[in-house]
Amino acid sequence: MDYERILLVKPEVFIYKIPPRTSARGYRAADWNLDKPDWTLRLRIIAKDKKCLIRLEDKSSGELFGECPVDSYPGNAVESVSDSSRYFVLRIQDPSGNALSASVD
């Protein structure tokens, strides 16, 4: 039986839908509309066996918005932002399997 361990809960995080990277220079928070987050959600970091998941959930209902499986860091799932240590870019998959890149504050 696999148990899930909750490593961190952030009751409120701001999520920004960001455009695809257009160059190899990386993501820049200054290129986003930071005063208007697209979503406000709850974030949970969960360990299950040797896997780590970042889950984004509705703050009220707990409904899954999407999750980001993290195999390694640094890696493709979680990327730093070149002009800020506050923001990170996550590769999120929603429950139907659609993927998007989003930044977390």
Side-chain angles (χ1 to χ4, degrees), residues 54-69:
I54 300 173
R55 286 191 182 149
L56 298 169
E57 306 166 336
D58 181 271
K59 290 179 4 174
S60 302
S61 69
E63 181 182 352
L64 181 65
F65 174 84
E67 63 184 17
C68 174

Side-chain angles (χ1 to χ4, degrees), residues 4-49:
E4 289 185 349
R5 289 181 296 147
I6 298 174
L7 304 177
L8 174 74
V9 176
K10 297 292 283 180
E12 182 176 82
V13 294
F14 303 109
I15 308 296
Y16 306 89
K17 186 175 180 181
I18 58 174
R21 210 174 12 196
T22 56
S23 69
R25 71 179 171 127
Y27 292 102
R28 290 177 26 91
D31 296 339
W32 312 329
N33 193 4
L34 297 176
D35 59 337
K36 295 181 182 174
D38 293 297
W39 301 279
T40 303
L41 302 168
R42 177 175 56 217
L43 179 142
R44 291 180 193 259
I45 299 178
I46 297 170
K48 187 174 182 179
D49 288 332

Side-chain angles (χ1 to χ4, degrees), residues 81-97:
V81 175
S82 63
D83 64 341
S84 174
S85 61
R86 180 176 171 174
Y87 299 95
F88 293 88
V89 175
L90 301 179
R91 302 268 186 265
I92 301 170
Q93 292 183 342
D94 69 15
S96 62

